Amino acid sequence: MDIRAILMGLVFAMMWSSAFTSARIIVADMSPLFALSCRYLISGLLGVGIALALGQSMRLTPAQWRATIIFGILQNAVYLGLNFVAMQTVEASLAAIIASTMPLLVGFAVWIIFGEKLRPLGVAGLVAGLVGVAIIMGARINGGVDMVGLGLCVVGVIALTAATLLVRGATSGGNFLMIVGLQMLVGCVALTLATLVFEIPRLNLTMPLALAFTYTCLFPGLAATIIWFWLVNRVGATRAATFHFLNPFFGVAIAALLLSEALGARDILGVAIITAGILAVQLSRQSKA
């Protein structure tokens, strides 16, 4: 990777990780499902508009439509919907750590379910990730974490893992920004239905809400996705995925900086071990690729 790709990878990791902190700010003044459906409506329309301006088409292949619907429901609605609900009671740092285990879950799934060979370094990374998660979960459970919120985060990351596995390679063939925009609109529709069924919309207009909502729509919601696809096109999906190893560190650092969330010694140790585990798994898959 050249220096430009490395810098863009760092920007992507920071944007992705910061979304948990901005979400925590949003749900303090806006009901979570309503907030997320509004976010996806704005980001989706922006994405589709930019795609049309670039000459991309809504005429997708059947595989692309399938990926659009699956990803829109599992990632945008289920994964983020559950995380937004959970962050009413769960700290942003913990939600970020749980979500950051997605590369470990993907690595485990392709090894066990799909029979993809995993090098010893990758196996060691999976074990390290499990140990790191156990350390953090033990510390948080002893500290009185909300178990319902924790469970929602866990189900959410499983949904994200499933989405990642189900659409592997299905978005190839161009029109990637159009696909991203349509995925967000699919998520908007699903979350709007969920809002009507499960939630009484709540909105308290404040400056923190306005800033956090605008930031979430433009940066983690749209810019980070564009950067991700740019990275995949420039260095390949396997090498681009290596930047996910930074997410646990950035996630807890941003939450501590902006929300003053406390981090104990066991949290820091667990984050370090999970980070090393994710890096090991990604490097193992990269060396095979």
Side-chain angles (χ1 to χ4, degrees):
M1 282 187 272
D2 57 23
I3 187 64
R4 186 179 181 187
I6 292 172
L7 290 175
M8 295 302 282
L10 292 172
V11 171
F12 162 77
M14 290 187 67
M15 286 184 179
W16 191 94
S17 303
S18 68
F20 298 92
T21 294
S22 61
R24 179 80 165 159
I25 296 171
I26 289 171
V27 298
D29 289 308
M30 194 173 184
S31 52
L33 299 179
F34 176 53
L36 201 53
S37 60
C38 292
R39 167 197 159 175
Y40 277 128
L41 176 62
I42 295 170
S43 297
L45 291 176
L46 284 173
V48 170
I50 294 172
L52 290 173
L54 293 174
Q56 296 186 17
S57 171
M58 288 188 180
R59 299 177 65 179
L60 308 180
T61 66
Q64 288 176 327
W65 274 117
R66 183 170 61 252
T68 297
I69 295 171
I70 291 174
F71 223 69
I73 293 175
L74 288 181
Q75 174 182 276
N76 297 342
V78 179
Y79 159 66
L80 276 174
L82 292 177
N83 269 270
F84 263 58
V85 172
M87 275 185 286
Q88 295 176 108
T89 57
V90 172
E91 291 186 334
S93 56
L94 180 58
I97 290 168
I98 295 172
S100 297
T101 62
M102 183 271 290
L104 296 174
L105 295 177
V106 170
F108 180 78
V110 298
W111 178 35
I112 298 298
I113 299 175
F114 296 101
E116 180 179 301
K117 292 184 178 179
L118 199 62
R119 296 174 183 271
L121 177 63
V123 176
L126 291 176
V127 174
L130 179 62
V131 171
V133 169
I135 291 173
I136 292 174
M137 291 302 104
R140 295 302 179 100
I141 291 173
N142 290 335
V145 68
D146 176 51
M147 296 302 295
V148 174
L150 177 63
L152 292 177
C153 290
V154 172
V155 174
V157 76
I158 292 173
L160 177 60
T161 302
T164 303
L165 293 171
L166 288 171
V167 302
R168 288 195 302 171
T171 57
S172 60
N175 291 322
F176 75 87
L177 189 53
M178 178 63 71
I179 291 171
V180 169
L182 292 174
Q183 285 172 355
M184 292 178 179
L185 294 179
V186 169
C188 173
V189 172
L191 287 162
T192 299
L193 295 175
T195 300
L196 295 174
V197 174
F198 298 111
E199 194 174 78
I200 298 176
R202 169 179 57 87
L203 175 61
N204 178 32
L205 288 175
T206 64
M207 184 57 69
L209 170 63
L211 293 174
F213 187 85
T214 302
Y215 171 81
T216 302
C217 288
L218 297 180
F219 293 96
L222 188 59
T225 306
I226 295 173
I227 292 173
W228 170 253
F229 279 101
W230 181 88
L231 275 173
V232 169
N233 289 332
R234 189 176 182 90
V235 303
T238 303
R239 290 184 176 88
T242 305
F243 288 102
H244 279 293
F245 90 95
L246 294 168
N247 291 334
F249 169 76
F250 282 146
V252 299
I254 293 170
L257 180 64
L258 297 182
L259 301 177
S260 300
E261 292 187 359
L263 292 173
R266 290 175 66 180
D267 291 320
I268 297 173
L269 176 61
V271 166
I273 294 175
I274 293 172
T275 298
I278 293 172
L279 180 60
V281 169
Q282 296 298 341
L283 290 178
S284 172
R285 300 185 71 195
Q286 179 176 319
S287 61
K288 193 185 80 165

